[in-house]
Amino acid sequence: MTKRRSKGARGPRWPLVWLIQAAAALALGALTALSLWLGGAAHGAFLWGVMPVGGMAAGYIAVRRGLNNYLAWLAPPLMEALGNLLIWGYPPRVGPVFLCGFLSLVGAAAGEVRNRQRHDR
């Protein structure tokens, strides 16, 4: 016996959310790699500030939109490394990528907590 879907029912949204998150993180990772042309201080600010905070926001928003919190933190650090690899041909330093991964994890956890608070009401 098969289940019938109502007219308004759709499939899972999480693959689309993950794809949008990965594309946005790749664009920010490429922008971070290109910030090397602005000088060392600007590039350091992008590596250690803009990309990790962007990853945290991306993790939070993705979880709030329906992505599993265990998957939401992966795209930002991976796309930061991939953006640098695609533009310059080598990966960035490990420290900023780990910081981006950690803050993405924090953002995804915050999104999960917020989702649970909303469902508990």
Side-chain angles (χ1 to χ4, degrees), residues 5 17 25 35 48 64-65 74 112-114 118 121:
R5 290 186 176 187
V17 172
S35 72
W48 291 97
R64 294 286 291 150
R65 298 284 181 218
L74 289 173
E112 179 67 22
V113 168
R114 184 72 175 125
R118 189 162 192 224
R121 290 183 183 179

Side-chain angles (χ1 to χ4, degrees), residues 73-87:
W73 71 272
L74 289 173
L78 291 175
M79 294 303 136
E80 178 181 11
L82 183 63
N84 204 69
L85 190 64
L86 290 174
I87 293 197

